[in-house]
Amino acid sequence: MIAGVRYARLFWIGAPGAVVLAALIGISALLRSDFTETDGQVLLTMLVLLVSSGTAVAGFTIAERGHEPVGWTAVTVAVLSFFFIGTATWTSFDDETLNKLAGTFALGLVATLLGTTQLVLHRGQHDWAVLVTWTALLLAFATTSVGIWEEPAGDGLWKVAGSCWIVGVMGWVLLPVLQRFTAAAVVPAGGLRVLAALGDVELVATRSGDGLDLQLERGERLLLRRRN
């Protein structure tokens, strides 16, 4: 997990920088009383970079947890999405085919971000929520992409696509809530919960009065190690 932590740290260092740059561009446009096309292109590029980077970090994380095909697919989608959306942005959206490609990859990026971050948060419970979310996101991406490329006359396809997006987002929001309530409701046998083990020694959490109430400083963690 060391590499995953490193990627996440790089993301959280770069993300504030992108936000600050976007804020400076917005302030500059306000002071000039003129929001130019270039300002909009830079802001959109920063937004896409932020979302793509977050998706790539989530992909690296789940790849390290054993879901390598899904993880590396997410990284690939993030890179291609940034390329196509960035290219369409800086060509002023003049090419219709490129615009459709950029729109398709934008949808894929959003769906991938939701799906991968849900896997990052998944703790082995409520697998049905993950299945429902991924199925809805895949259907949402497929139906919306068909709508972009085929441009159907009726609104039936768009209604199906919108419903799938809503179900996908709701599943993404619901999983951490369910996991939190489930974890709070579980009472371990004997009132003990094993946190770590080293040989015959276990570090356990307890609600009884026999344990130690340790006050850790910000950023500190407990470390179980064998004395040399």
Side-chain angles (χ1 to χ4, degrees):
M1 295 300 294
I2 295 177
V5 173
R6 182 172 66 249
Y7 292 131
R9 184 174 299 173
L10 289 175
F11 170 74
W12 287 115
I13 291 174
V19 173
V20 169
L21 179 59
L24 290 175
I25 293 173
I27 293 173
S28 176
L30 288 175
L31 294 177
R32 298 195 318 266
S33 298
D34 180 23
F35 188 81
T36 65
E37 180 181 0
T38 302
D39 292 334
Q41 290 172 326
V42 173
L43 288 175
L44 182 56
T45 303
M46 290 296 100
L47 175 62
V48 176
L49 177 61
L50 195 62
V51 177
S52 299
S53 300
T55 304
V57 169
F60 283 126
T61 302
I62 62 176
E64 290 181 347
R65 293 183 179 179
H67 304 287
E68 293 187 0
V70 177
W72 286 109
T73 299
V75 174
T76 303
V77 170
V79 173
L80 293 177
S81 297
F82 179 74
F83 172 77
F84 282 109
I85 299 173
T87 302
T89 299
W90 288 96
T91 55
S92 301
F93 299 99
D94 290 333
D95 189 308
E96 183 179 358
T97 301
L98 181 58
N99 293 343
K100 290 184 177 181
L101 274 173
T104 303
F105 273 99
L107 295 170
L109 182 63
V110 173
T112 305
L113 177 64
L114 293 174
T116 51
T117 51
Q118 185 184 58
L119 286 182
V120 171
L121 297 173
H122 187 223
R123 295 295 180 264
Q125 298 176 317
H126 305 293
D127 293 339
W128 63 269
V130 177
L131 178 61
V132 169
T133 301
W134 276 73
T135 302
L137 290 175
L138 288 173
L139 289 175
F141 171 71
T143 52
T144 312
S145 298
V146 170
I148 290 176
W149 288 93
E150 298 297 331
E151 299 180 1
D155 60 354
L157 181 66
W158 295 113
K159 290 180 179 179
V160 173
S163 300
C164 291
W165 281 112
I166 292 173
V167 173
V169 173
M170 288 302 298
W172 180 79
V173 172
L174 189 62
L175 179 65
V177 176
L178 288 174
Q179 290 184 149
R180 183 176 181 86
F181 277 101
T182 301
V186 173
V187 178
L192 300 178
R193 182 163 57 93
V194 178
L195 301 178
L198 180 61
D200 296 332
V201 179
E202 292 182 337
L203 177 64
V204 300
T206 178
R207 295 182 181 275
S208 71
D210 298 331
L212 299 175
D213 185 11
L214 301 179
Q215 301 296 326
L216 301 179
E217 298 293 334
R218 182 182 298 274
E220 289 184 332
R221 296 183 179 182
L222 292 176
L223 174 64
L224 184 64
R225 67 181 183 181
R226 189 187 304 275
R227 180 181 297 175
N228 296 327

